[in-house]
Amino acid sequence: MEALEKLKRFNASRAAVYTVLGGIGAFMLLLNLLTPYCADDFTYMVNFKTQQWIKHVWDVFPSMIAHAGSMNGRLISHGLGQLFLIWPKPVFDVVNAGVFTWFIYLMYKLANGKKEGNALLLACLFCGVWFFMPVFGQVALWQLGSVNYLWALLAGALFLRPYISDFMDGRRETALWRKIVFCVLAVPVGMWAEVTSFIAILLAALMLLLGRLFKKQSLRTWLLCPIGAACAGYLLMMLMPAEMNAKSAGLSLPTLLLNFENATLILQKDGLLLLCVWAAAFVMGLAARLDRDRLAVSGALAFGAVVGNYMLTFASYYPERCFCTTAALLAAAIAILAPALCRAGWAWLCDGLGAALVVAAALSLVVGTYDIWCTHVAFEQREQYIAQAKAEGLKEITVPVIRPTTKYSAFWGITDLTEDAMAWPNDYISTYYGIWISGQ
């Protein structure tokens, strides 16, 4: 019993929380360093206006103006993507590992609140995101993918934090300069990504509405201003010429029904277990009469997760990496109930499920890390072969396509190289290396 009490005290200590947090950051930094450029990374090294290499920060601005007319309206995320491609990749690797760690920590703080530390909860959150996030490599390791998806999750979480704090604790910012900064930064949050930005705005408004319904909190609050600013940013993104052109063709009713079915199949494939665990935890919370505020926030996050999934009904296609918003929100919705359920007498069940999750994540961690390592080795060997071919004066070569075996590699599910040296992304990759390259 004494050993168990010591373990509980250590789990609740800051040292344990910071140790887990440091371990997550170090592990993600290692994976980032092992992940090379791939696919769109080579494309975004080029100025979309001049088709020349981007060499300076100022080159990004005309490139993004051209990008808004030909690609899509995500100028904030893609602009940051091009900015980091100017610098050596380890710069991005360090920042991206920090972004992932910060996002996990924000989820932990949301779930744990002001209670004493809970290193096990923090570890379980990491394990949940690692195990349940589909195409993890595309979302958290691929350079362009990370800026568009992982960083959008962090931006959305930071945007939501004041609204959840206001609802749960009644805390409202008083410093004028912070209010102004928040309103200004809300614009790029709204412009970040079609799904994540919309859901962040929706949930922020929902938090204010729930505060009015449950607690009679006034809606005459400065927190409406950042929502308006984020809406302006979102509207600006969606009104970019490339976005308007993509929507102008429209979607017929049969296509919408087909897309709705596809979104349901993806939710069933990637989110069924998370959704079922949340539903069970929520019903248990109702039966145990958990804190109403905590139940309301959990329900709101689950609602946002489902809405985020079905938003893709109106898209021309559903890339699996877009499910990251739904997966993250469901994980947060479960995590916010777990500590309260433990205090309500369900600790044995929560601890058991947490242990099962850690075991499952540990096994996939070994397999996934090895796959990322194999991808790294294959890429290094390919670059050595390319360098040798250039030294021998060859003008065109064929190299093996990198074929990962798990979702943890950034190359999983995206186009590496094709047989046609002139096709995308071969054309940009060939230009980068200075020799025509095709894949086999």
Side-chain angles (χ1 to χ4, degrees), residues 42 53 386 390 395-397 417 420-423 425-438:
F42 294 97
W53 297 114
I386 292 171
K390 287 181 65 178
K395 301 298 182 182
E396 184 173 348
I397 58 173
L417 286 167
D420 183 1
M422 302 295 291
N426 299 41
D427 48 355
Y428 285 96
I429 295 175
S430 298
T431 304
Y432 175 80
Y433 286 109
I435 182 173
W436 287 110
I437 303 173
S438 58

Side-chain angles (χ1 to χ4, degrees), residues 11 26 42 54 60 124 144 164 171-172 235 241 247 259 321 345 348 354 389 393:
N11 179 64
F42 294 97
I54 290 183
V60 174
C124 285
L144 257 294
I164 295 176
R171 288 185 297 169
R172 292 192 172 182
L235 186 62
K247 303 295 185 295
N259 288 353
R321 55 185 173 265
W348 61 272

Side-chain angles (χ1 to χ4, degrees), residues 101-111 154 157-158 161:
T101 307
W102 191 1
F103 175 64
I104 295 295
Y105 184 68
L106 282 179
M107 293 176 68
Y108 162 75
K109 292 296 291 183
L110 168 65
L154 176 63
L158 289 170
R161 189 177 182 185

Side-chain angles (χ1 to χ4, degrees), residues 47 53-62 82-83 86-87:
N47 187 321
W53 297 114
I54 290 183
K55 297 180 179 179
H56 306 287
V57 172
W58 296 113
D59 294 340
V60 174
F61 294 95
Q82 288 203 310
L83 182 65
I86 299 174
W87 302 321

